[in-house]
């Protein structure tokens, strides 16, 4: 799961990014409203964490604008103001939840899990289930039947992307943006290499899903009905 953190207090931003990465999330950081907004338009994120008071463009108007342009990524707004009108303003602008500063990292993590569950009915705590398969991103493994298959970090992120979007075709560009990041300079054929490796690892009689190639577009995950 890839998170965009838009927070101008560098010390706080660095600490949050460090903590989130330790918890297995991929994190990109922006320090002002304009560059954060540009990054949000790439649609490479599963969640935006947006500070309310930002230089160049403040959080609420940034959220309004990305919603107007059709970006549906869930937004958690961080606010130092705790007046009810401020919270309402953030939610009305299109934020999905808010957190009042100062907050504990436990609460932030719980809100992130809640927002990702709201989007997806297949999350069980930190884990994601598709049929009988359970992906455990923190442990970098997937359980199929009584088998545990170990994955690398990137394979985990790739499989998580498929599990979270299991009714959609995902393009190679989307895979690059979400798994390697919008600034990455990897070649597009790296996607094929990773898909190939992942398929090889997932060869198991218990495996109830497959990664299918959608010619000319990308890939999608297909669940078997009879397993
Ligand atoms: Ca700020």
């Amino acid at each position: 799961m890839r998170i965009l953190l838009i927070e101008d207090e560098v010390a706080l931003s660095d600490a949050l990014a460090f903590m989130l990465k330790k918890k297995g999330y991929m994190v990109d950081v922006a320090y002002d409203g304009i560059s954060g907004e540009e990054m949000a338009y790439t649609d490479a994120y599963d969640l935006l964490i947006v500070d309310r008071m930002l230089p160049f463009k403040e959080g609420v108007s940034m959220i309004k604008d990305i919603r107007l342009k059709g970006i549906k990524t869930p937004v958690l707004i961080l606010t130092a103001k705790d007046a009810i009108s401020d919270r309402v303003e953030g939610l009305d602008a299109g934020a999905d939840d808010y957190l009042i500063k100062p907050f504990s990292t436990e609460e932030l993590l719980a809100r992130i899990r809640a927002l990702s569950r709201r989007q997806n009915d297949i999350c069980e705590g930190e884990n994601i289930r598709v049929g009988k398969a359970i992906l455990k991103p923190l442990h970098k493994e997937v359980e199929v039947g009584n088998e545990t298959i170990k994955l690398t970090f990137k394979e985990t992120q790739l499989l998580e992307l498929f599990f979270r979007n299991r009714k959609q075709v995902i393009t190679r560009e989307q895979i690059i943006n979400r798994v390697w990041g919008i600034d990455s300079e990897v070649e597009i054929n790296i996607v094929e290499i990773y898909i190939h490796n992942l398929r090889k690892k997932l060869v198991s009689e218990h495996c109830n899903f497959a990664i299918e190639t959608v010619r000319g577009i990308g890939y999608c995950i297909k669940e078997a009905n009879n397993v």
Side-chain angles (χ1 to χ4, degrees):
M1 179 166 163
R2 184 172 284 274
I3 296 174
L4 173 60
L5 172 63
I6 312 172
E7 163 63 75
D8 60 311
E9 287 168 55
V10 177
L12 175 62
S13 179
D14 286 355
L16 287 179
F18 179 78
M19 184 274 296
L20 291 170
K21 283 176 187 167
K22 241 173 63 177
K23 291 286 175 187
Y25 297 106
M26 292 178 290
V27 186
D28 291 339
V29 178
Y31 298 102
D32 67 79
I34 300 273
S35 57
E37 183 176 342
E38 275 169 20
M39 289 165 82
Y41 286 139
T42 63
D43 207 14
Y45 300 97
D46 302 289
L47 175 69
L48 311 178
I49 300 176
V50 181
D51 184 31
R52 202 195 142 110
M53 305 295 276
L54 288 170
F56 305 140
K57 185 161 184 174
E58 64 109 36
V60 169
S61 60
M62 197 214 91
I63 294 164
K64 265 188 202 152
D65 285 351
I66 64 165
R67 290 290 186 248
L68 276 175
K69 292 208 174 143
I71 298 291
K72 297 191 176 75
T73 316
V75 173
L76 175 63
I77 191 163
L78 305 178
T79 173
K81 301 178 176 182
D82 61 357
I84 288 172
S85 61
D86 288 319
R87 286 180 245 161
V88 170
E89 202 188 350
L91 295 172
D92 277 349
D96 299 273
D97 198 3
Y98 61 86
L99 204 49
I100 294 163
K101 290 177 171 180
F103 51 82
S104 70
T105 55
E106 284 74 19
E107 186 173 10
L108 174 64
L109 291 168
R111 301 282 175 123
I112 292 172
R113 287 194 297 271
L115 280 171
S116 96
R117 270 200 303 275
R118 207 185 289 175
Q119 260 209 316
N120 232 311
D121 53 355
I122 53 172
C123 295
E124 297 174 357
E126 310 273 355
N127 302 331
I128 308 164
R129 175 190 286 274
V130 167
K132 287 176 188 161
I134 301 168
L135 178 69
K136 300 181 168 176
L138 271 183
H139 296 94
K140 300 200 276 291
E141 62 190 31
V142 60
E143 269 181 26
V144 287
N146 51 9
E147 227 177 300
T148 298
I149 300 164
K150 283 280 174 194
L151 304 170
T152 66
F153 179 70
K154 289 286 185 220
E155 288 167 352
T156 306
Q157 301 297 340
L158 184 55
L159 197 56
E160 183 177 347
L161 179 61
F162 284 118
F163 271 31
R164 283 186 181 278
N165 301 280
R166 67 199 192 289
K167 295 199 171 78
Q168 294 166 36
V169 176
I170 302 165
T171 66
R172 290 173 183 81
E173 288 78 11
Q174 285 173 320
I175 293 173
I176 295 271
N177 284 344
R178 290 193 173 229
V179 177
W180 279 268
I182 52 172
D183 290 330
S184 104
E185 286 171 2
V186 296
E187 300 282 336
I188 199 123
N189 65 6
I190 197 164
V191 174
E192 280 151 49
I193 296 166
Y194 270 81
I195 297 273
H196 175 78
N197 290 342
L198 204 47
R199 280 176 176 153
K200 260 188 4 201
K201 283 195 179 181
L202 294 171
V203 170
S204 155
E205 56 179 314
H206 304 293
C207 205
N208 59 328
F209 64 88
I211 301 165
E212 296 212 328
T213 304
V214 181
R215 257 183 77 194
I217 306 177
Y219 303 91
C220 70
I221 202 157
K222 180 132 196 232
E223 286 176 69
N225 300 320
N226 55 346
V227 185

